[in-house]
Amino acid sequence: MMFLRLLSDVRWRAANPRWRRMTCSRRSTSSTAEPHPISLPAQAQVVICGGGIVGTSVAYHLSKLGWKDIVLLEQGRLAAGTTRFCAGIVSTARPVSIELKMADYSNKLYQQLEQETGIKTGTRSTGSISLAQTQDRLISLKRIASSLNVMGIPCEIITPKQVAQLHPLINIHDLVGAMYVPGDALVSSADVSLALATAASRNGVQIHERTSVSHVLVQKGRVTGVETDRGQISCQYFVNCAGQVGLLNFFFLFFPLVFTPSLNSLPTSFLSSAAIVDPDGRIYIRSWQGGILSGGFEKNPKPLFTEGRNQLEIQNLQEDWDHFEPLLSALLRRMPGLEALQIMQLVNCPETFTPDMRCIMGESPTVQGYFVLAGMNSAGISYGGGAGKYLAEWMVNGYPSENVWPLDLKRFGTLQSSRTFLRHRVMEVMPLICDLKVPRWDFQTGRQLRTSPLYDRLDAQGARWMEKHGFERVKYFVPPGKDLLDLDQSKTFYKPDWFDIVGSEVKCCKEAVCVIDMSSFTKFEISSTGDQALESLQYLFSNDLDVPVGHVVHTGMLNEKGGYENDCSIARLNKRSFFMISPTDQQVHCWAWLKNRLPSNSSLTMEDVTWKYTALNLIGPRAVDVLSELSYAPITPEHFPSLFCKEMSVGYANGIRVMSITHTGEPGFMLYIPIEYALHVYNEVMNMGQKYGIRNAGYYALRSLRIEKFFAFWGQDLDAFTTPMECGREFQVKLEKGMEFIGQEALLEQKQNGVYKRFTMFILEDHDTDMDLWPWWGEPIFRNGRYVGKTTSSAYSYTVERHVCLGFVQHFDEKTGEELVVTTDFINQGEYEIDIAGQRFQAKAKLYPFSSLFTHRRRKDEMELSDLTGKR
Amino acid sequence: MPAPAHLFPLIRNCEIGRICSTVCYCHRKHLCCFSSHFAHGHFRCAPQRKFAALCRPKENFNQFIHARDYASTPQRFYLTPPQVNSILKANEYSFKVPEFDGKNISSVLGFDSNQLPANAPIEDRRSAATCLQTRGMLLGVFDGHAGCACAQAVSERLFYYIAVSLLPHETLLEIENAVESGRALLPILQWHKHPNDYFSKEASKLYFNSLRTYWQELIDLNSGETTDVKEALINAFKRLDNDISLEAQVGDPNSFLNYLVLRVAFSGATACVAHVDGVDLHVANTGDSRAMLGVQEEDGSWSAVNLSYDHNAQNEHEVERVKMEHPKSEEKSLVKQDRLLGLLMPFRAFGDVKFKWSIELQKRVVESGPDQLNDNEYTKFIPPNYHTPPYLTAEPEVIHHKLRPQDKFLVLATDGLWETMHRQDVARIVGEYLTGVHHQQPIAVGGYKVTLGQMHGLLTERRARISSVFEDQNAATHLIRHAVGNNEFGTVDHERLSKMLSLPEELARMYRDDITIIVVQFNSHVVGACQNEEL
């Protein structure tokens, strides 16, 4: 519910958290005497709040999709907020795939907007040049270039000399290279916004300026209308595009400079030259109205919360030259020739940023019909067009045409909306916009929010932490005696310094037993008085849940198209209750999905028990020995086969749910322990495990294990656009379970017609682990020299001693580019290459994991003395 | 002392030769022009700051040759910024008043103190302590002359005298009874000391006995009235000076102690002590150290309020007072060359029995004293025109000030600081340091034609000015950095700072004086709350 709270801080101070109840009490409209040219309609299908680039884009796209009954409200004038101050560089150079697609679409949209509306948008395709001052920066640019190229966006990596040829004024002495995207454009963002508004209003959208929304009316969890300072509008949908969604407005500076010819003439070529982005110098430079405009993202942003202030339009904050000094230095270093230029103006304007640098899009998990699109992280003009399109599709079709989970507002939990958290995190986020993002980087602020009760114990044993959905999870354990790892060394595109540490953890998982604290998993309990729980779940999940009590079922929670909304394990605790385990970041999304689809029947209850259980994963062949010694219950494979769940006692503690799954394909058990027993059970396990060589392990080891076993993870490999058929999980779908379930039809159709993409495992063949760049995710896959898809995750397999990449292979018709059915033969009969930052590595494709990995057993004659020593 | 400040650049520019050639010179105040009848060259002693040094002009000249050598080869010593920092920070100390329940109920947030020696060894001392049996905090700086013995003794003892003077009768009785019956004593002071601030163990028994005699007298005198802080401060100052004098007259069977008490008495020290209790701030000053209050005006700017008067020749009232205390016949000889009897700069001080005792007493004590004392030309020397002693007193002037929320800090410093910096600058530098805000006018381009290059130059210069604020974690250190390193523009010039700090011992004293600073920060919230209560 973050956005509601945040919004209330900004605009609905009066409304406060009790606003739900106010819906009934405050019906009377308080229209003031102030005359307005057009009166507000009494009702509309959609009310959009916010008339910046985002709001107008949503209105434009909704009207394109056929919805006409739309009202757009802007409290000031159109495009008078952040949009007005936007530098107007449409850059497609974005690392996240969905963002790249949005920017590409925006660019194309703006190009044709002038023709469509007749309004000048100032669009000029000058291209953009992103400069690299370091080798690592160049690598990250090369990675982006690879993905741009396969998207069909022309783009090349150029040398500093070529930069000098492209741009007359740039000092190239400290550059190692650059990326040139000729298709990128410069626009006048306010004009684009006005053009979008004009087109929308031609399609029937009503636009009302100087009207502010005071609060949103909600009844029974649905939007019913909005109340404005000019009266009430009842509506089915409310779209919040009000920009400063409370998400912190940050200092964002740009300053236009106008040159005076008498002092120093700019080469005329400058006016048509490309926009310059110098991320290492934290600045950008573009030509602007006969001069230049330059701005940047300073290292020390000034946070600005509009605490309940109703700002009609964003006012220029006072110019602060001292704050701008580092950026000015960077500018003059980049273009020393500008020294003689005269300053026209320094503009200082706030910007919105989100806790993870990605925008916020989607429907509220608790209020149906309430949509949000905001938090553009200063890329509003690049994303605005595409984001508006996806949100419009979402509203009209129920889901956008692309996977937007990375932007879905449900990725945040309630915890991440606290003001302190935001203040700290966003202070970190803003400078990060320009910082180099290397694999596995983590946020440093807003940490230790949610932790396992074992946190201190693990930390004392050398745990290094990463964060997911606010939860601290162990990456790996630094062995005692080993020096603290230097953070900088871990931040590399090459082999990281923890390589051997994780290697030994993996080895221990394979040969002895390891403990991984996996408490962050989302855990729900669903039960009913009768059979309602089973019946509902059978409809919501693709696998057959009508299994004997004590069985665990891996199943997808699919949407109508058969795509994974969630991938989970469900244990049948008894005939009428189920225990459901989902990925960590599903806490909000899955809850909302189930809540909206489960019958609102008092006999059926669903409870989020995430916080009640600590989860320990005992991985390895010796896990069974450790557990046997701690429990009276027989747990040999005969009594406790794979995919079983039993409640038993471990040590002194009872009521522990033990499941024979490990999420890695290795033998072992998951222990779901009521939190008050967590420390006791952990201690018991570690003590007893000593003689079996037990040790702690982290998620990096888990990742290596699951990827070499070809296990797909939701959120990384699987998304709402992936069906079980496409990732080789047909066995987890029971089409014939005797009852209908969501996505059944789509899956049946896929079964008959075949799939258009196939989850495939790639073993890198000629990749030197020590010397070559490591794969991460998002690397293009080439089959016989042609682009067929992208990787979704990768890891080094310590068993195969090769890198393993997982990804989807598509089949595009060589002539038309049309998507064709992907067959097993198509996958098997091809020569594959993976493109890592422009360098291609041969890869072997596999549709099934190495069978040998599952039956790995050491032969007697392979044993050596070192097997007798502990693995700690 | 404006004159030396003007001289300074001249010396740096090697023009000292010309000044020297006029035979006499005066730099700062430790070396002074001597009237001819003193320039006999009989007395040999190290240059003393408060006293005119008795050196032959020729020697002085030689020293200046050295100075010129130094000035003409400025690169001879060059300290790196970390080296400079380690010198500046060697004596820094910070104390934060502990918070209880997240609330600091004291009107004092804490203090920063530091000192930078010019003399070897340093003659300045500092003290800070919390009164345990009464409320309030005591802070003081002490500037010694003719050695550091007196300043050391005063820094150890004065706060006990003040604390005892403030104690109610019952507490004094309780303490006295405890001493009688050999029970543990009530602690009366909590010291806040830098590790370099030492207390002499040898004399502590002697000091304790003197203090005990004092409180026994206070018990006998029991007036039944509540103690007035101002009176307590004055009594404590006078009593301690009296005890110093008596101890020297009586002597001690232990030869080491005997020599010590004599050195204490024959050397001198000024004292500037602040007592803060709630909104009541008392400053007791004896001599030419100074207390200054930093006040933040409504517009955020800083101004300085003096909380002490210098007792020196620049203070007309003080000159007047001295003249009043002696017969008209001495009027001309009392103050010469801005010095008391032509010798002493401060007009009030602890110790300095040469200006207090009768000639007979001085002669008797010196003659019966240890050989070291007898061999010392200085102690034997009687000031000229010495007719109606005492010429000097330790009685302080006490100023009472009710703290207001806009009173943000108090600076206590020896004259080493005030010689180089104006109090207004001190207020601004400390104020900006403490608030973390550098009060610079923001730059606005407005309608002016400014080029990017010009703007860049301007901003770089402004940033350099600000960056000096962030090097220090201690307000006193920050102030010393400015005092020593400030250039003509009022910004810290590293090169200058480095040169000043790398001066050899024998030269350092010519360019600067010992500097000791305490910066006390007030808790405006508590002050504001106290104020409201009183209203």
Side-chain angles (χ1 to χ4, degrees):
Chain A
M1 282 297 300
M2 70 175 302
F3 68 97
L4 287 176
R5 263 192 52 195
L6 290 167
L7 258 180
S8 67
D9 285 337
V10 178
R11 329 186 130 235
W12 311 331
R13 194 111 172 136
N16 77 36
R18 287 175 289 124
W19 53 273
R20 275 166 198 271
R21 276 182 271 130
M22 292 188 150
T23 53
C24 311
S25 58
R26 290 180 61 179
R27 284 268 149 172
S28 64
T29 56
S30 57
S31 51
T32 50
E34 203 182 319
H36 280 280
I38 314 156
S39 61
L40 290 184
Q43 63 172 48
Q45 188 183 10
V46 184
V47 171
I48 299 169
C49 170
I53 180 74
V54 175
T56 52
S57 171
V58 172
Y60 172 84
H61 286 100
L62 277 176
S63 65
K64 282 258 152 170
L65 287 172
W67 284 18
K68 307 288 183 192
D69 189 11
I70 299 164
V71 174
L72 189 150
L73 304 178
E74 162 60 44
Q75 58 172 349
R77 283 170 297 129
L78 282 180
T82 309
T83 305
R84 181 158 61 111
F85 296 107
C86 184
I89 302 174
V90 183
S91 164
T92 46
R94 306 286 168 181
V96 180
S97 162
I98 183 69
E99 292 180 337
L100 196 159
K101 284 176 184 161
M102 292 196 307
D104 186 36
Y105 174 83
S106 301
N107 195 4
K108 287 173 180 149
L109 173 71
Y110 303 155
Q111 304 277 4
Q112 55 92 27
L113 207 54
E114 200 164 314
Q115 206 182 1
E116 185 187 332
T117 62
I119 292 175
K120 288 219 180 304
T121 57
T123 307
R124 278 184 294 137
S125 291
T126 57
S128 76
I129 306 173
S130 304
L131 308 177
Q133 291 184 23
T134 64
Q135 286 298 340
D136 272 354
R137 174 72 68 183
L138 192 58
I139 291 168
S140 78
L141 290 179
K142 282 176 176 171
R143 290 182 62 92
I144 294 172
S146 291
S147 53
L148 283 175
N149 276 325
V150 300
M151 286 274 303
I153 302 170
C155 155
E156 56 181 320
I157 296 294
I158 56 177
T159 62
K161 270 191 183 162
Q162 287 171 293
V163 173
Q165 285 161 8
L166 279 168
H167 205 288
L169 291 170
I170 291 189
N171 162 25
I172 57 164
H173 297 300
D174 55 352
L175 299 182
V176 295
M179 177 174 71
Y180 178 45
V181 187
D184 280 355
L186 297 179
V187 299
S188 157
S189 28
D191 293 337
V192 167
S193 197
L194 288 176
L196 287 170
T198 309
S201 98
R202 280 180 200 161
N203 282 334
V205 174
Q206 296 184 52
I207 297 171
H208 295 270
E209 294 184 310
R210 304 203 181 280
T211 307
S212 55
V213 176
S214 51
H215 59 264
V216 176
L217 309 174
V218 177
Q219 271 179 344
K220 289 180 186 159
R222 264 211 75 92
V223 169
T224 59
V226 296
E227 197 159 291
T228 74
D229 56 352
R230 295 175 54 204
Q232 210 179 61
I233 308 174
S234 57
C235 64
Q236 288 166 267
Y237 295 95
F238 174 73
V239 187
N240 182 352
C241 304
Q244 307 173 53
V245 198
L247 300 186
L248 345 161
N249 315 306
F250 280 98
F251 224 60
F252 165 79
L253 287 156
F254 74 77
F255 74 121
L257 308 160
V258 168
F259 73 98
T260 43
S262 61
L263 281 175
N264 182 2
S265 294
L266 280 173
T268 43
S269 57
F270 180 84
L271 303 179
S272 57
S273 60
I276 304 296
V277 180
D278 182 2
D280 297 310
R282 320 187 79 83
I283 53 164
Y284 57 81
I285 307 159
R286 63 163 283 194
S287 64
W288 188 77
Q289 293 184 3
I292 74 154
L293 181 152
S294 172
F297 302 91
E298 67 277 30
K299 259 190 174 146
N300 49 337
K302 291 187 187 171
L304 174 77
F305 282 76
T306 50
E307 315 251 3
R309 230 177 340 131
N310 199 1
Q311 290 180 308
L312 275 179
E313 280 160 24
I314 297 172
Q315 301 299 319
N316 271 15
L317 303 170
Q318 198 184 16
E319 56 187 317
D320 183 347
W321 279 99
D322 292 307
H323 200 67
F324 192 69
E325 190 268 333
L327 300 179
L328 179 60
S329 297
L331 172 66
L332 289 179
R333 180 172 141 183
R334 187 53 54 223
M335 295 191 183
L338 299 187
E339 278 208 350
L341 285 200
Q342 273 189 14
I343 296 162
M344 193 183 92
Q345 195 188 4
L346 176 71
V347 179
N348 180 4
C349 119
E351 243 320 338
T352 60
F353 290 89
T354 59
D356 60 357
M357 279 189 292
R358 300 196 296 260
C359 76
I360 289 176
M361 178 192 281
E363 190 175 8
S364 153
T366 48
V367 182
Q368 284 185 28
Y370 188 120
F371 284 83
V372 176
L373 181 55
M376 285 295 160
N377 296 294
S378 81
I381 197 71
S382 294
Y383 297 154
K389 172 180 166 233
Y390 291 138
L391 192 79
E393 287 172 351
W394 196 333
M395 293 171 67
V396 174
N397 304 333
Y399 206 77
S401 56
E402 289 283 346
N403 170 36
V404 295
W405 171 247
L407 314 177
D408 194 325
L409 82 93
K410 292 194 285 291
R411 71 187 183 273
F412 294 117
T414 44
L415 294 163
Q416 282 127 313
S417 68
S418 97
R419 188 156 281 259
T420 321
F421 169 81
L422 287 174
R423 187 177 278 265
H424 289 171
R425 171 59 64 81
V426 181
M427 285 295 278
E428 179 186 1
V429 161
M430 205 209 112
L432 269 178
I433 300 263
C434 282
D435 282 353
L436 188 66
K437 276 130 215 135
V438 295
R440 300 166 293 267
W441 60 273
D442 279 313
F443 289 107
Q444 303 299 313
T445 53
R447 295 289 296 267
Q448 291 177 314
L449 191 57
R450 305 168 67 204
T451 60
S452 149
L454 301 174
Y455 180 87
D456 281 350
R457 281 301 299 274
L458 302 179
D459 198 55
Q461 294 176 73
R464 291 289 175 275
W465 302 90
M466 60 180 181
E467 170 252 3
K468 178 105 178 206
H469 204 68
F471 213 108
E472 293 293 330
R473 312 200 293 183
V474 182
K475 292 196 278 198
Y476 48 81
F477 286 84
V478 179
K482 201 154 191 158
D483 275 345
L484 291 183
L485 292 175
D486 189 354
L487 202 63
D488 285 333
Q489 274 190 300
S490 291
K491 286 184 174 174
T492 172
F493 286 99
Y494 294 90
K495 180 176 160 180
D497 50 5
W498 44 256
F499 182 82
D500 292 328
I501 294 175
V502 173
S504 62
E505 287 178 8
V506 166
K507 189 163 186 264
C508 186
C509 287
K510 294 265 181 197
E511 297 175 3
V513 54
C514 278
V515 184
I516 304 182
D517 184 336
M518 293 175 66
S519 307
S520 70
F521 273 169
T522 299
K523 301 170 271 281
F524 292 161
E525 257 176 31
I526 301 154
S527 51
S528 61
T529 47
D531 287 337
Q532 299 95 326
L534 178 66
E535 281 166 18
S536 314
L537 296 184
Q538 284 286 54
Y539 172 68
L540 288 169
F541 293 90
S542 58
N543 210 339
D544 190 359
L545 293 171
D546 192 7
V547 288
V549 169
H551 276 246
V552 181
V553 178
H554 287 309
T555 178
M557 183 175 90
L558 309 181
N559 54 31
E560 279 72 13
K561 289 188 209 140
Y564 277 99
E565 286 296 329
N566 184 7
D567 181 34
C568 47
S569 308
I570 298 180
R572 190 165 193 184
L573 297 176
N574 60 49
K575 276 209 159 319
R576 286 160 188 173
S577 72
F578 296 85
F579 186 60
M580 174 179 167
I581 300 143
S582 327
T584 310
D585 46 3
Q586 278 281 355
Q587 201 169 15
V588 179
H589 175 67
C590 180
W591 181 267
W593 179 272
L594 292 177
K595 265 286 173 203
N596 289 340
R597 282 163 185 80
L598 285 174
S600 50
N601 186 334
S602 58
S603 63
L604 189 141
T605 55
M606 178 166 79
E607 191 190 356
D608 184 347
V609 295
T610 304
W611 61 276
K612 282 188 177 173
Y613 291 94
T614 295
L616 289 183
N617 191 352
L618 255 65
I619 303 180
R622 294 301 206 166
V624 59
D625 300 309
V626 176
L627 206 55
S628 298
E629 297 218 27
L630 287 171
S631 188
Y632 291 104
I635 49 168
T636 51
E638 302 86 67
H639 295 96
F640 205 149
S642 191
L643 286 173
F644 262 64
C645 170
K646 272 184 198 172
E647 202 155 290
M648 57 170 72
S649 58
V650 174
Y652 304 149
N654 50 28
I656 290 157
R657 289 174 187 167
V658 179
M659 296 184 201
S660 44
I661 53 173
T662 60
H663 302 279
T664 59
E666 300 293 330
F669 301 90
M670 283 294 296
L671 273 54
Y672 287 90
I673 310 157
I675 50 165
E676 66 264 41
Y677 300 141
L679 194 61
H680 171 72
V681 172
Y682 176 78
N683 286 342
E684 290 290 300
V685 164
M686 292 309 274
N687 284 335
M688 197 51 76
Q690 216 139 38
K691 62 179 169 184
Y692 300 106
I694 200 166
R695 58 168 290 167
N696 292 300
Y699 270 75
Y700 282 4
L702 186 86
R703 182 182 171 84
S704 168
L705 288 168
R706 70 102 179 161
I707 285 178
E708 73 180 17
K709 291 274 171 48
F710 201 14
F711 269 45
F713 258 32
W714 193 91
Q716 290 173 42
D717 309 305
L718 307 181
D719 58 41
F721 287 80
T722 312
T723 69
M725 304 299 178
E726 292 161 349
C727 62
R729 291 207 181 161
E730 214 178 315
F731 67 93
Q732 286 183 9
V733 178
K734 294 291 180 307
L735 289 169
E736 316 297 333
K737 68 179 173 184
M739 83 173 277
E740 196 193 339
F741 62 90
I742 300 177
Q744 190 174 26
E745 233 167 275
L747 293 183
L748 271 171
E749 195 188 310
Q750 268 196 338
K751 192 175 182 181
Q752 254 166 15
N753 301 342
V755 294
Y756 290 91
K757 62 177 180 182
R758 191 75 166 85
F759 194 52
T760 313
M761 172 177 179
F762 296 94
I763 320 294
L764 295 190
E765 297 280 307
D766 57 350
H767 184 270
D768 186 329
T769 308
D770 292 318
M771 302 303 292
D772 288 325
L773 287 172
W774 275 32
W776 188 6
W777 56 269
E779 290 89 11
I781 303 164
F782 292 89
R783 177 183 178 275
N784 300 342
R786 290 171 54 84
Y787 170 71
V788 290
K790 278 188 180 179
T791 63
T792 51
S793 57
S794 71
Y796 181 79
S797 163
Y798 292 89
T799 322
V800 192
E801 294 181 334
R802 287 254 166 271
H803 260 288
V804 177
C805 300
L806 307 182
F808 286 93
V809 172
Q810 287 164 285
H811 185 182
F812 301 105
D813 187 276
E814 289 197 20
K815 291 186 187 94
T816 61
E818 187 194 353
E819 281 188 50
L820 302 176
V821 168
V822 179
T823 62
T824 312
D825 282 349
F826 178 80
I827 300 283
N828 289 337
Q829 296 163 0
E831 298 291 323
Y832 289 90
E833 285 170 311
I834 307 281
D835 177 326
I836 305 174
Q839 196 184 350
R840 292 191 188 180
F841 295 94
Q842 286 171 28
K844 204 160 89 187
K846 287 175 68 72
L847 281 172
Y848 300 97
F850 294 97
S851 53
S852 62
L853 290 178
F854 288 94
T855 54
H856 182 80
R857 193 164 286 163
R858 295 199 121 190
R859 298 215 312 274
K860 270 186 207 162
D861 51 350
E862 280 178 339
M863 293 286 194
E864 50 183 280
L865 261 183
S866 71
D867 289 303
L868 293 172
T869 57
K871 299 289 187 286
R872 288 173 79 89
Chain B
M1 289 300 295
H6 291 307
L7 270 178
F8 195 79
L10 295 177
I11 294 169
R12 284 191 1 131
N13 295 334
C14 312
E15 292 184 14
I16 199 67
R18 267 189 286 147
I19 304 168
C20 280
S21 62
T22 62
V23 178
C24 289
Y25 62 90
C26 177
H27 174 250
R28 291 286 167 80
K29 45 191 180 177
H30 77 290
L31 295 172
C32 182
C33 310
F34 267 66
S35 44
S36 54
H37 66 274
F38 266 128
H40 300 313
H42 296 304
F43 308 120
R44 297 288 313 279
C45 65
Q48 300 294 349
R49 192 165 66 78
K50 302 289 174 184
F51 280 100
L54 313 175
C55 304
R56 280 174 305 204
K58 198 180 167 201
E59 259 188 27
N60 296 339
F61 188 75
N62 284 340
Q63 281 193 344
F64 268 109
I65 302 298
H66 279 287
R68 194 162 66 168
D69 284 349
Y70 165 72
S72 58
T73 53
Q75 292 306 311
R76 205 171 61 179
F77 306 101
Y78 202 77
L79 300 173
T80 62
Q83 286 172 320
V84 164
N85 284 345
S86 73
I87 293 174
L88 289 181
K89 292 177 184 201
N91 292 315
E92 71 178 15
Y93 177 79
S94 284
F95 174 75
K96 268 206 169 79
V97 174
E99 297 186 356
F100 300 102
D101 269 350
K103 282 178 190 162
N104 179 349
I105 46 145
S106 166
S107 58
V108 174
L109 280 174
F111 69 86
D112 288 340
S113 76
N114 198 356
Q115 49 187 191
L116 180 71
N119 292 303
I122 186 168
E123 295 179 349
D124 279 5
R125 292 294 184 271
R126 59 183 156 170
S127 291
T130 305
C131 299
L132 296 176
Q133 301 306 322
T134 54
R135 298 182 309 156
M137 194 169 193
L138 285 165
L139 305 117
V141 293
F142 311 96
D143 184 348
H145 49 261
C148 58
C150 185
Q152 172 66 33
V154 173
S155 73
E156 289 177 40
R157 305 174 68 180
L158 180 59
F159 287 7
Y160 283 111
Y161 280 73
I162 297 172
V164 163
S165 309
L166 288 167
L167 286 180
H169 183 68
E170 306 78 57
T171 317
L172 288 174
L173 266 183
E174 195 182 332
I175 293 173
E176 174 58 23
N177 290 338
V179 177
E180 263 315 305
S181 52
R183 279 185 284 119
L185 302 184
L186 278 177
I188 57 175
L189 286 180
Q190 176 69 54
W191 291 97
H192 312 299
K193 281 197 301 187
H194 186 274
N196 290 356
D197 299 340
Y198 66 94
F199 277 7
S200 60
K201 284 210 174 65
E202 300 79 5
S204 75
K205 205 168 154 53
L206 173 72
Y207 291 167
F208 178 81
N209 286 332
S210 296
L211 183 68
R212 187 182 173 195
T213 315
Y214 176 43
W215 79 56
Q216 283 170 341
E217 281 176 28
L218 285 176
I219 290 170
D220 294 342
L221 277 171
N222 179 23
S223 57
E225 287 167 25
T226 45
T227 332
D228 174 60
V229 178
K230 183 173 177 177
E231 212 171 301
L233 285 165
I234 294 173
N235 290 342
F237 272 62
K238 283 161 74 175
R239 177 67 185 211
L240 173 60
D241 193 46
N242 201 34
D243 282 356
I244 287 171
S245 170
L246 277 177
E247 283 155 9
Q249 292 172 40
V250 173
D252 195 282
N254 177 326
S255 65
F256 175 84
L257 276 183
N258 194 32
Y259 184 44
L260 177 75
V261 295
L262 285 166
R263 274 190 299 144
V264 169
F266 276 90
S267 60
T270 72
C272 186
V273 173
H275 178 263
V276 196
D277 180 3
V279 292
D280 289 308
L281 168 64
H282 287 85
V283 175
N285 184 46
T286 287
D288 56 1
S289 291
R290 199 181 285 173
M292 184 213 86
L293 194 63
V295 181
Q296 189 164 33
E297 302 296 340
E298 270 174 21
D299 65 354
S301 65
W302 296 93
S303 61
V305 171
N306 271 351
L307 286 183
S308 68
Y309 303 112
D310 296 352
H311 298 141
N312 58 18
Q314 276 70 44
N315 183 342
E316 287 172 24
H317 296 288
E318 205 48 22
V319 175
E320 205 56 36
R321 176 186 66 81
V322 173
K323 288 183 177 170
M324 290 281 287
E325 289 171 358
H326 298 277
K328 195 106 175 127
S329 56
E330 289 184 49
E331 192 162 298
K332 287 204 170 131
S333 58
L334 272 175
V335 179
K336 279 189 169 178
Q337 278 104 29
D338 284 350
R339 288 164 192 256
L340 190 64
L341 297 178
L343 291 172
L344 192 62
M345 289 210 55
F347 281 23
R348 301 192 195 194
F350 281 94
D352 282 329
V353 291
K354 293 174 60 58
F355 296 85
K356 290 173 180 164
W357 288 354
S358 65
I359 297 180
E360 299 72 46
L361 181 57
Q362 289 192 41
K363 282 192 171 148
R364 180 166 60 76
V365 171
V366 171
E367 274 160 20
S368 64
D371 295 344
Q372 300 105 307
L373 197 67
N374 250 322
D375 292 347
N376 191 330
E377 306 278 3
Y378 165 69
T379 48
K380 282 203 279 190
F381 156 75
I382 304 290
N385 305 311
Y386 197 78
H387 308 300
T388 51
Y391 287 88
L392 197 62
T393 174
E395 176 171 339
E397 249 186 310
V398 179
I399 292 182
H400 175 223
H401 176 82
K402 284 260 184 212
L403 287 175
R404 306 156 299 170
Q406 63 265 40
D407 301 334
K408 300 297 181 188
F409 59 88
L410 174 77
V411 178
L412 300 174
T414 54
D415 57 346
L417 174 74
W418 307 112
E419 278 164 10
T420 57
M421 289 183 90
H422 191 267
R423 58 194 167 97
Q424 188 54 45
D425 293 330
V426 171
R428 183 181 54 80
I429 287 167
V430 175
E432 281 167 4
Y433 172 82
L434 291 178
T435 51
V437 180
H438 210 70
H439 196 74
Q440 297 199 94
Q441 283 295 315
I443 304 177
V445 177
Y448 302 105
K449 290 184 176 175
V450 183
T451 69
L452 278 180
Q454 290 166 337
M455 179 59 85
H456 185 233
L458 184 60
L459 293 177
T460 318
E461 201 250 320
R462 283 161 67 94
R463 195 180 53 162
R465 213 179 301 167
I466 293 171
S467 67
S468 73
V469 174
F470 300 110
E471 269 174 277
D472 300 313
Q473 281 84 52
N474 183 303
T477 310
H478 186 63
L479 207 44
I480 291 178
R481 189 187 296 277
H482 274 274
V484 179
N486 262 9
N487 59 19
E488 302 80 38
F489 308 111
T491 55
V492 173
D493 175 350
H494 175 75
E495 197 178 324
R496 184 187 160 93
L497 187 58
S498 162
K499 275 183 198 164
M500 289 290 281
L501 293 179
S502 48
L503 291 171
E505 266 181 22
E506 66 273 17
L507 280 182
R509 188 56 195 84
M510 300 177 63
Y511 288 87
R512 54 188 167 87
D513 192 1
D514 292 336
I515 299 178
T516 298
I517 300 172
I518 299 179
V519 178
V520 189
Q521 216 185 331
F522 297 119
N523 190 337
S524 302
H525 301 291
V526 174
V527 169
C530 292
Q531 222 180 23
N532 290 339
E533 270 173 37
E534 287 186 8
L535 290 172

